[in-house]
Amino acid sequence: MLSRLMIATALLAAPAFAQTQDQTAAEGPPKRVRSILLYGEESCPKPADPDEIVVCSNAGDSPYRIPKRFRDQPKQDAPSTSWTRRMEVVEQVNSRGMPNSCSPVGTGGQTGCTRQMLQQWYQDKLDREVKASRVP
């Protein structure tokens, strides 16, 4: 019963749907479509004639301003970096491969491994002595 009702409804709606499609096809697409970017408090202009469509979108404060997400970012270029930080970066980058660096990179990198082991041993020895002197 329900299926017969659905079929009857579809048959009755088909001519109306076809008529709507014919009217739309006869009119065709609009002759002119304008896309406009609005800045600040500008309002969307009205279409000049009925065959025109105007599409408006908000683009922010001003076309000549930097967007808010890019404003007031900390500078990271060379002039705004201190000389101390620059030298730290240079020393850090160049420390690999230098003599006594214990690095597999460079000509004298391997010479620092024994030095580092001795420094670690001496530091451990000092820590043990300090710890032993604190124990009552």
Side-chain angles (χ1 to χ4, degrees):
M1 171 93 173
L2 184 61
S3 62
R4 288 183 185 175
L5 179 63
M6 291 177 69
I7 293 172
T9 305
L11 290 175
L12 291 173
F17 181 69
Q19 183 180 10
T20 307
Q21 281 186 339
D22 291 338
Q23 289 175 354
T24 307
E27 292 176 10
K31 292 183 180 177
R32 182 175 178 197
V33 176
R34 285 194 307 171
S35 294
I36 300 173
L37 294 175
L38 302 175
Y39 297 99
E41 299 298 323
E42 294 178 350
S43 61
C44 191
K46 302 294 182 203
D49 58 66
D51 291 334
E52 178 182 39
I53 295 177
V54 179
V55 179
C56 299
S57 65
N58 190 358
D61 296 335
S62 168
Y64 306 108
R65 284 202 53 134
I66 297 172
K68 285 185 181 181
R69 66 178 182 262
F70 297 121
R71 294 183 211 161
D72 301 327
Q73 298 222 348
K75 293 182 180 180
Q76 302 206 1
D77 55 346
S80 58
T81 306
S82 70
W83 277 103
T84 305
R85 180 64 189 142
R86 289 187 206 179
M87 289 311 301
E88 287 173 354
V89 170
V90 168
E91 288 174 356
Q92 180 183 6
V93 170
N94 291 336
S95 68
R96 296 183 190 265
M98 299 289 289
N100 300 324
S101 66
C102 190
S103 171
V105 180
T107 57
Q110 77 283 358
T111 59
C113 295
T114 304
R115 180 176 172 221
Q116 283 184 1
M117 285 188 295
L118 289 172
Q119 286 176 340
Q120 183 64 39
W121 174 81
Y122 187 70
Q123 186 63 45
D124 290 343
K125 181 182 172 189
L126 284 175
D127 291 344
R128 280 191 305 260
E129 288 174 2
V130 169
K131 188 176 181 182
S133 66
R134 289 185 186 170
V135 176

